[in-house]
Amino acid sequence: IKYDGDISYFESELAHVEKLISSRLHSGFFGLLNGAQVFQLKYAEKIFEFYKGLSLESITFHEAYDFNSKDLDDFLSTPYKH
């Protein structure tokens, strides 16, 4: 799902996603709000800082440019939990 400036379209598309691999802070946030499990790629420390202190079981953090592909396989193969 690509954000092209139409926030309504972006929100409606994310509403149908159960698992989200997110490379941007806001897409991960919208995914969580819509009940998706999120594999959040950290390209900057601000991403982790934004979520710091929240006890969210539906998000995992991984370095954007250096993560184990097994982590991604595990994320995609586990049953969806809303």
Side-chain angles (χ1 to χ4, degrees):
I1 299 169
K2 181 180 175 185
Y3 178 66
D4 64 358
D6 184 347
I7 193 71
S8 296
Y9 173 77
F10 185 67
E11 288 177 318
S12 69
E13 289 298 304
L14 276 178
H16 305 289
V17 172
E18 293 181 349
K19 291 185 177 245
L20 175 69
I21 301 165
S22 175
S23 62
R24 306 299 296 172
L25 171 66
H26 294 92
S27 61
F29 180 68
F30 280 120
L32 289 171
L33 287 176
N34 284 304
Q37 287 178 272
V38 177
F39 186 95
Q40 180 69 59
L41 299 174
K42 293 188 308 179
Y43 61 87
E45 192 59 29
K46 73 176 182 180
I47 291 177
F48 183 74
E49 290 296 319
F50 179 80
Y51 293 104
K52 191 169 151 181
L54 299 176
S55 297
L56 299 172
E57 294 180 23
S58 56
I59 187 169
T60 55
F61 297 96
H62 301 273
E63 296 300 325
Y65 306 107
D66 183 26
F67 64 90
N68 187 331
S69 61
K70 183 180 179 324
D71 293 337
L72 183 56
D73 291 339
D74 290 346
F75 172 76
L76 293 172
S77 65
T78 56
Y80 167 70
K81 293 182 282 183
H82 182 62

PDB file of all heavy atoms in Angstrom, residues 5 12-13 16 21 24 26 30 43 46 49 52 55 57 60-61 71 74-75 79:
ATOM      1  N   GLY A   5      -0.934  10.678  -0.973  1.00  0.00           N
ATOM      2  CA  GLY A   5      -1.551  11.953  -0.622  1.00  0.00           C
ATOM      3  C   GLY A   5      -3.030  11.842  -0.311  1.00  0.00           C
ATOM      4  O   GLY A   5      -3.622  12.768   0.229  1.00  0.00           O
ATOM      5  N   SER A  12      -8.414   3.320   4.262  1.00  0.00           N
ATOM      6  CA  SER A  12      -9.329   2.235   3.883  1.00  0.00           C
ATOM      7  C   SER A  12      -8.566   0.998   3.434  1.00  0.00           C
ATOM      8  O   SER A  12      -8.989  -0.124   3.712  1.00  0.00           O
ATOM      9  CB  SER A  12     -10.306   2.692   2.802  1.00  0.00           C
ATOM     10  OG  SER A  12      -9.650   2.908   1.577  1.00  0.00           O
ATOM     11  N   GLU A  13      -7.441   1.166   2.765  1.00  0.00           N
ATOM     12  CA  GLU A  13      -6.632   0.020   2.353  1.00  0.00           C
ATOM     13  C   GLU A  13      -5.982  -0.656   3.556  1.00  0.00           C
ATOM     14  O   GLU A  13      -5.939  -1.879   3.640  1.00  0.00           O
ATOM     15  CB  GLU A  13      -5.563   0.449   1.345  1.00  0.00           C
ATOM     16  CG  GLU A  13      -6.122   0.811  -0.016  1.00  0.00           C
ATOM     17  CD  GLU A  13      -6.816  -0.362  -0.687  1.00  0.00           C
ATOM     18  OE1 GLU A  13      -6.176  -1.413  -0.853  1.00  0.00           O
ATOM     19  OE2 GLU A  13      -8.005  -0.221  -1.032  1.00  0.00           O
ATOM     20  N   HIS A  16      -7.884  -3.375   5.875  1.00  0.00           N
ATOM     21  CA  HIS A  16      -8.043  -4.773   5.477  1.00  0.00           C
ATOM     22  C   HIS A  16      -6.776  -5.608   5.697  1.00  0.00           C
ATOM     23  O   HIS A  16      -6.764  -6.789   5.374  1.00  0.00           O
ATOM     24  CB  HIS A  16      -8.441  -4.859   4.003  1.00  0.00           C
ATOM     25  CG  HIS A  16      -9.674  -4.062   3.702  1.00  0.00           C
ATOM     26  ND1 HIS A  16     -10.917  -4.443   4.123  1.00  0.00           N
ATOM     27  CD2 HIS A  16      -9.826  -2.891   3.048  1.00  0.00           C
ATOM     28  CE1 HIS A  16     -11.797  -3.545   3.728  1.00  0.00           C
ATOM     29  NE2 HIS A  16     -11.164  -2.593   3.080  1.00  0.00           N
ATOM     30  N   ILE A  21       4.227  -5.184   7.034  1.00  0.00           N
ATOM     31  CA  ILE A  21       5.668  -4.935   7.084  1.00  0.00           C
ATOM     32  C   ILE A  21       5.807  -3.448   6.771  1.00  0.00           C
ATOM     33  O   ILE A  21       5.514  -3.011   5.660  1.00  0.00           O
ATOM     34  CB  ILE A  21       6.428  -5.791   6.059  1.00  0.00           C
ATOM     35  CG1 ILE A  21       6.171  -7.270   6.327  1.00  0.00           C
ATOM     36  CG2 ILE A  21       7.920  -5.467   6.103  1.00  0.00           C
ATOM     37  CD1 ILE A  21       6.570  -8.177   5.188  1.00  0.00           C
ATOM     38  N   ARG A  24       7.847   2.722   7.387  1.00  0.00           N
ATOM     39  CA  ARG A  24       7.634   4.117   7.790  1.00  0.00           C
ATOM     40  C   ARG A  24       6.881   4.165   9.113  1.00  0.00           C
ATOM     41  O   ARG A  24       6.042   3.312   9.397  1.00  0.00           O
ATOM     42  CB  ARG A  24       6.834   4.882   6.726  1.00  0.00           C
ATOM     43  CG  ARG A  24       7.428   4.826   5.327  1.00  0.00           C
ATOM     44  CD  ARG A  24       8.791   5.424   5.239  1.00  0.00           C
ATOM     45  NE  ARG A  24       8.747   6.840   5.532  1.00  0.00           N
ATOM     46  CZ  ARG A  24       9.829   7.593   5.677  1.00  0.00           C
ATOM     47  NH1 ARG A  24      11.022   7.070   5.556  1.00  0.00           N
ATOM     48  NH2 ARG A  24       9.717   8.863   5.946  1.00  0.00           N
ATOM     49  N   HIS A  26       4.537   6.259  10.253  1.00  0.00           N
ATOM     50  CA  HIS A  26       3.091   6.493  10.190  1.00  0.00           C
ATOM     51  C   HIS A  26       2.318   5.296   9.654  1.00  0.00           C
ATOM     52  O   HIS A  26       1.206   5.019  10.102  1.00  0.00           O
ATOM     53  CB  HIS A  26       2.791   7.745   9.360  1.00  0.00           C
ATOM     54  CG  HIS A  26       3.296   8.989  10.013  1.00  0.00           C
ATOM     55  ND1 HIS A  26       4.544   9.490   9.741  1.00  0.00           N
ATOM     56  CD2 HIS A  26       2.749   9.791  10.938  1.00  0.00           C
ATOM     57  CE1 HIS A  26       4.731  10.572  10.479  1.00  0.00           C
ATOM     58  NE2 HIS A  26       3.662  10.778  11.217  1.00  0.00           N
ATOM     59  N   PHE A  30      -0.712   3.556  11.725  1.00  0.00           N
ATOM     60  CA  PHE A  30      -2.051   3.329  11.164  1.00  0.00           C
ATOM     61  C   PHE A  30      -2.391   1.844  11.149  1.00  0.00           C
ATOM     62  O   PHE A  30      -3.523   1.454  11.389  1.00  0.00           O
ATOM     63  CB  PHE A  30      -2.183   3.906   9.754  1.00  0.00           C
ATOM     64  CG  PHE A  30      -2.427   5.388   9.713  1.00  0.00           C
ATOM     65  CD1 PHE A  30      -1.543   6.225   9.066  1.00  0.00           C
ATOM     66  CD2 PHE A  30      -3.542   5.943  10.319  1.00  0.00           C
ATOM     67  CE1 PHE A  30      -1.757   7.596   9.027  1.00  0.00           C
ATOM     68  CE2 PHE A  30      -3.779   7.305  10.280  1.00  0.00           C
ATOM     69  CZ  PHE A  30      -2.878   8.142   9.636  1.00  0.00           C
ATOM     70  N   TYR A  43      14.434   2.602  10.645  1.00  0.00           N
ATOM     71  CA  TYR A  43      15.445   3.287   9.853  1.00  0.00           C
ATOM     72  C   TYR A  43      16.008   4.470  10.625  1.00  0.00           C
ATOM     73  O   TYR A  43      17.004   5.071  10.230  1.00  0.00           O
ATOM     74  CB  TYR A  43      14.891   3.755   8.504  1.00  0.00           C
ATOM     75  CG  TYR A  43      13.749   4.728   8.644  1.00  0.00           C
ATOM     76  CD1 TYR A  43      13.977   6.092   8.763  1.00  0.00           C
ATOM     77  CD2 TYR A  43      12.442   4.274   8.687  1.00  0.00           C
ATOM     78  CE1 TYR A  43      12.939   6.982   8.916  1.00  0.00           C
ATOM     79  CE2 TYR A  43      11.395   5.157   8.835  1.00  0.00           C
ATOM     80  CZ  TYR A  43      11.652   6.513   8.959  1.00  0.00           C
ATOM     81  OH  TYR A  43      10.609   7.376   9.131  1.00  0.00           O
ATOM     82  N   LYS A  46      13.917   7.520  16.060  1.00  0.00           N
ATOM     83  CA  LYS A  46      12.627   8.130  16.391  1.00  0.00           C
ATOM     84  C   LYS A  46      11.488   7.111  16.335  1.00  0.00           C
ATOM     85  O   LYS A  46      10.494   7.264  17.034  1.00  0.00           O
ATOM     86  CB  LYS A  46      12.321   9.312  15.476  1.00  0.00           C
ATOM     87  CG  LYS A  46      11.948   8.910  14.053  1.00  0.00           C
ATOM     88  CD  LYS A  46      11.564  10.107  13.215  1.00  0.00           C
ATOM     89  CE  LYS A  46      11.140   9.667  11.824  1.00  0.00           C
ATOM     90  NZ  LYS A  46      10.757  10.798  11.000  1.00  0.00           N
ATOM     91  N   GLU A  49      11.533   5.299  19.632  1.00  0.00           N
ATOM     92  CA  GLU A  49      11.205   6.281  20.660  1.00  0.00           C
ATOM     93  C   GLU A  49       9.714   6.597  20.669  1.00  0.00           C
ATOM     94  O   GLU A  49       9.131   6.832  21.724  1.00  0.00           O
ATOM     95  CB  GLU A  49      12.015   7.567  20.462  1.00  0.00           C
ATOM     96  CG  GLU A  49      13.486   7.411  20.771  1.00  0.00           C
ATOM     97  CD  GLU A  49      13.753   7.093  22.229  1.00  0.00           C
ATOM     98  OE1 GLU A  49      13.096   7.671  23.120  1.00  0.00           O
ATOM     99  OE2 GLU A  49      14.619   6.228  22.488  1.00  0.00           O
ATOM    100  N   LYS A  52       8.082   3.781  22.535  1.00  0.00           N
ATOM    101  CA  LYS A  52       8.700   3.468  23.823  1.00  0.00           C
ATOM    102  C   LYS A  52       7.703   3.695  24.963  1.00  0.00           C
ATOM    103  O   LYS A  52       7.008   4.689  25.005  1.00  0.00           O
ATOM    104  CB  LYS A  52       9.925   4.355  24.022  1.00  0.00           C
ATOM    105  CG  LYS A  52      10.807   3.975  25.168  1.00  0.00           C
ATOM    106  CD  LYS A  52      12.082   4.791  25.040  1.00  0.00           C
ATOM    107  CE  LYS A  52      12.713   5.047  26.365  1.00  0.00           C
ATOM    108  NZ  LYS A  52      13.912   5.853  26.220  1.00  0.00           N
ATOM    109  N   SER A  55       3.070  -0.955  25.856  1.00  0.00           N
ATOM    110  CA  SER A  55       3.156  -2.419  25.898  1.00  0.00           C
ATOM    111  C   SER A  55       2.294  -2.983  24.772  1.00  0.00           C
ATOM    112  O   SER A  55       1.145  -3.344  24.987  1.00  0.00           O
ATOM    113  CB  SER A  55       2.679  -2.938  27.252  1.00  0.00           C
ATOM    114  OG  SER A  55       3.511  -2.463  28.268  1.00  0.00           O
ATOM    115  N   GLU A  57       1.816  -5.879  22.091  1.00  0.00           N
ATOM    116  CA  GLU A  57       2.228  -7.213  21.673  1.00  0.00           C
ATOM    117  C   GLU A  57       2.145  -7.382  20.160  1.00  0.00           C
ATOM    118  O   GLU A  57       2.673  -8.341  19.617  1.00  0.00           O
ATOM    119  CB  GLU A  57       1.358  -8.267  22.352  1.00  0.00           C
ATOM    120  CG  GLU A  57       1.551  -8.326  23.857  1.00  0.00           C
ATOM    121  CD  GLU A  57       0.676  -9.364  24.506  1.00  0.00           C
ATOM    122  OE1 GLU A  57       0.250 -10.312  23.806  1.00  0.00           O
ATOM    123  OE2 GLU A  57       0.415  -9.233  25.697  1.00  0.00           O
ATOM    124  N   THR A  60       6.655  -5.705  16.383  1.00  0.00           N
ATOM    125  CA  THR A  60       8.035  -6.101  16.618  1.00  0.00           C
ATOM    126  C   THR A  60       8.923  -5.151  15.828  1.00  0.00           C
ATOM    127  O   THR A  60       8.545  -4.683  14.750  1.00  0.00           O
ATOM    128  CB  THR A  60       8.313  -7.557  16.182  1.00  0.00           C
ATOM    129  OG1 THR A  60       7.939  -7.724  14.822  1.00  0.00           O
ATOM    130  CG2 THR A  60       7.549  -8.541  17.046  1.00  0.00           C
ATOM    131  N   PHE A  61      10.082  -4.867  16.368  1.00  0.00           N
ATOM    132  CA  PHE A  61      11.005  -3.923  15.737  1.00  0.00           C
ATOM    133  C   PHE A  61      12.211  -4.648  15.178  1.00  0.00           C
ATOM    134  O   PHE A  61      12.743  -5.564  15.797  1.00  0.00           O
ATOM    135  CB  PHE A  61      11.474  -2.886  16.769  1.00  0.00           C
ATOM    136  CG  PHE A  61      10.370  -2.046  17.300  1.00  0.00           C
ATOM    137  CD1 PHE A  61       9.755  -2.374  18.504  1.00  0.00           C
ATOM    138  CD2 PHE A  61       9.922  -0.937  16.613  1.00  0.00           C
ATOM    139  CE1 PHE A  61       8.717  -1.605  19.006  1.00  0.00           C
ATOM    140  CE2 PHE A  61       8.881  -0.160  17.096  1.00  0.00           C
ATOM    141  CZ  PHE A  61       8.285  -0.499  18.300  1.00  0.00           C
ATOM    142  N   ASP A  71      13.444 -13.930  10.925  1.00  0.00           N
ATOM    143  CA  ASP A  71      12.506 -13.111  11.699  1.00  0.00           C
ATOM    144  C   ASP A  71      11.283 -12.750  10.854  1.00  0.00           C
ATOM    145  O   ASP A  71      10.154 -12.781  11.330  1.00  0.00           O
ATOM    146  CB  ASP A  71      13.169 -11.830  12.198  1.00  0.00           C
ATOM    147  CG  ASP A  71      14.245 -12.090  13.225  1.00  0.00           C
ATOM    148  OD1 ASP A  71      14.211 -13.154  13.885  1.00  0.00           O
ATOM    149  OD2 ASP A  71      15.130 -11.224  13.375  1.00  0.00           O
ATOM    150  N   ASP A  74       9.215 -15.930  10.316  1.00  0.00           N
ATOM    151  CA  ASP A  74       8.463 -16.235  11.535  1.00  0.00           C
ATOM    152  C   ASP A  74       7.246 -15.330  11.674  1.00  0.00           C
ATOM    153  O   ASP A  74       6.156 -15.779  12.024  1.00  0.00           O
ATOM    154  CB  ASP A  74       9.352 -16.097  12.775  1.00  0.00           C
ATOM    155  CG  ASP A  74      10.412 -17.172  12.872  1.00  0.00           C
ATOM    156  OD1 ASP A  74      10.318 -18.194  12.142  1.00  0.00           O
ATOM    157  OD2 ASP A  74      11.347 -16.983  13.672  1.00  0.00           O
ATOM    158  N   PHE A  75       7.432 -14.057  11.398  1.00  0.00           N
ATOM    159  CA  PHE A  75       6.329 -13.090  11.486  1.00  0.00           C
ATOM    160  C   PHE A  75       5.204 -13.473  10.533  1.00  0.00           C
ATOM    161  O   PHE A  75       4.034 -13.497  10.897  1.00  0.00           O
ATOM    162  CB  PHE A  75       6.846 -11.682  11.172  1.00  0.00           C
ATOM    163  CG  PHE A  75       5.761 -10.649  11.046  1.00  0.00           C
ATOM    164  CD1 PHE A  75       5.128 -10.151  12.175  1.00  0.00           C
ATOM    165  CD2 PHE A  75       5.386 -10.173   9.800  1.00  0.00           C
ATOM    166  CE1 PHE A  75       4.130  -9.188  12.057  1.00  0.00           C
ATOM    167  CE2 PHE A  75       4.395  -9.206   9.674  1.00  0.00           C
ATOM    168  CZ  PHE A  75       3.768  -8.720  10.806  1.00  0.00           C
ATOM    169  N   PRO A  79       0.179 -17.400  13.242  1.00  0.00           N
ATOM    170  CA  PRO A  79      -1.239 -17.063  13.070  1.00  0.00           C
ATOM    171  C   PRO A  79      -1.505 -15.610  13.447  1.00  0.00           C
ATOM    172  O   PRO A  79      -0.891 -15.072  14.374  1.00  0.00           O
ATOM    173  CB  PRO A  79      -1.960 -18.002  14.037  1.00  0.00           C
ATOM    174  CG  PRO A  79      -0.976 -19.072  14.359  1.00  0.00           C
ATOM    175  CD  PRO A  79       0.388 -18.483  14.199  1.00  0.00           C
TER     176      PRO A  79
END
